[in-house]
Amino acid sequence: MNQQGAIGHGSPWQKLVAVVALVLLPLGQANATTVTSATLDGSVNDLGGAAVVGATISVVHEPTGQTKTLTAGDNGNFYQSGLRVGGPYTITVTAPGYRDAVAEDIFLRAGDNQDLRLRLSRADAMTEEVVVTAQRISGRDLNNGVGSFFNEDDIANQPATQRDVIRTLLRDPLAASDGEGNLSVGGVNPRFNGLAIDGALQQDDFGLSSSTYATSRSPINLDAIESATLTATDYSVIVSGFTGGLVNVTTKSGTNEFDGSAFYYYQDQDFLGEDFNGGSITNPEF
């Protein structure tokens, strides 16, 4: 009875702590502001357009061998969330009475709903060639707003002397830059942008930076980036913490292969000019 009285009639400080705990508890969930995985859905039909119910769909992430096995529903539809960003993926469809179908080199991006339509031919059909259709349906993109998506190859092949991922984002017509780390989306001040790395916002909490980064230079190496998305006017309910554009960076996951990269800077006297401002100059030997 004394214990119940102590809990029910605690001091004002105890009640205050309890109220603060209740208020702070939901705030931790609000930090999940971006999507770091991909989804895949589609349908399995025969060549006549009829749904193939119960077809088995195997989704294999080739760099790691990670496999997801799905079953087509009553309408031949299938769905899988929580997939790794990037690829390539190989999708194999099997069903009793039908020839197996394989779709290769499928790449997924963060938050995107990759809609595939797979068609199977009957095993007893007299066909010399089986054509697998894995066409992405336009208009099913869940990138809720105007923006661009850039994969690993886009980033690696973009000239960037400062190794800054913003140089790649500038290929979007709404993006402009005035130096390293500076990014304006649709004319909005760079301070108002959001930068998320694997779902965690990297913000300038004290308002001291004049760029999109909270640091003086890019906080992530280009070689570690799997994909980058630039979104303006995003109206999705799962994103917050910014009023300009959102830069969503997804880093690479491990694979079953050992690889790496290296780069260097080189300069000698052949890289220097002999004239400056109308006069000749003498450069020392390197």
Side-chain angles (χ1 to χ4, degrees):
M1 198 64 186
N2 291 335
Q3 282 184 321
Q4 294 177 353
I7 295 175
H9 303 281
S11 66
W13 288 108
Q14 290 175 325
K15 294 180 180 179
L16 178 59
V17 171
V19 171
V20 171
L22 291 174
V23 172
L24 292 181
L25 182 59
L27 296 182
Q29 300 174 352
N31 292 331
T33 58
T34 56
V35 178
T36 59
S37 61
T39 61
L40 175 73
D41 71 359
S43 60
V44 181
N45 303 88
D46 61 17
L47 297 181
V52 180
V53 181
T56 300
I57 303 98
S58 176
V59 182
V60 181
H61 184 251
E62 292 297 339
T64 61
Q66 186 178 26
T67 303
K68 300 286 187 181
T69 302
L70 318 176
T71 302
D74 294 339
N75 296 324
N77 298 330
F78 60 89
Y79 175 83
Q80 178 63 50
S81 60
L83 295 173
R84 289 175 180 243
V85 173
Y89 282 88
T90 298
I91 301 175
T92 304
V93 184
T94 59
Y98 293 88
R99 299 176 185 270
D100 295 349
V102 179
E104 299 178 316
D105 294 329
I106 303 296
F107 288 83
L108 305 180
R109 68 193 204 187
D112 189 37
N113 195 350
Q114 192 84 359
D115 195 330
L116 301 178
R117 290 182 178 177
L118 304 173
R119 296 186 179 273
L120 303 181
S121 62
R122 293 191 175 275
D124 55 357
M126 297 298 294
T127 57
E128 296 182 358
E129 181 180 2
V130 178
V131 178
V132 179
T133 302
Q135 182 179 3
R136 182 168 178 265
I137 304 301
S138 60
R140 294 296 303 276
D141 189 352
L142 294 186
N143 179 20
N144 297 315
V146 180
S148 300
F149 168 81
F150 304 97
N151 59 26
E152 176 186 358
D153 292 336
D154 295 329
I155 298 171
N157 294 324
Q158 177 67 38
T161 56
Q162 303 294 334
R163 295 180 59 79
D164 184 4
V165 68
I166 286 181
R167 303 309 304 175
T168 305
L169 302 179
L170 292 179
R171 292 163 59 176
D172 187 286
L174 292 177
S177 177
D178 191 24
E180 181 182 4
N182 184 279
L183 176 66
S184 175
V185 181
V188 178
N189 191 296
R191 291 186 177 183
F192 298 148
N193 295 329
L195 171 66
I197 300 177
D198 288 336
L201 281 175
Q202 309 292 314
Q203 302 292 83
D204 179 19
D205 295 333
F206 298 98
L208 302 178
S209 176
S210 60
S211 70
T212 297
Y213 302 138
T215 53
S216 59
R217 57 176 299 176
S218 175
I220 186 171
N221 193 294
L222 285 181
D223 298 326
I225 299 177
E226 175 73 38
S227 66
T229 303
L230 175 63
T231 307
T233 65
D234 196 314
Y235 53 81
S236 172
V237 297
I238 63 175
V239 297
S240 62
F242 66 97
T243 56
L246 173 63
V247 179
N248 188 16
V249 175
T250 304
T251 59
K252 297 178 181 178
S253 300
T255 67
N256 295 330
E257 301 293 334
F258 180 82
D259 57 22
S261 62
F263 65 93
Y264 64 92
Y265 296 96
Y266 177 80
Q267 185 182 32
D268 62 21
Q269 59 272 12
D270 294 333
F271 285 80
L272 302 178
E274 298 178 352
D275 297 325
F276 177 74
N277 197 23
S280 61
I281 56 176
T282 301
N283 295 315
E285 292 290 331
F286 278 68

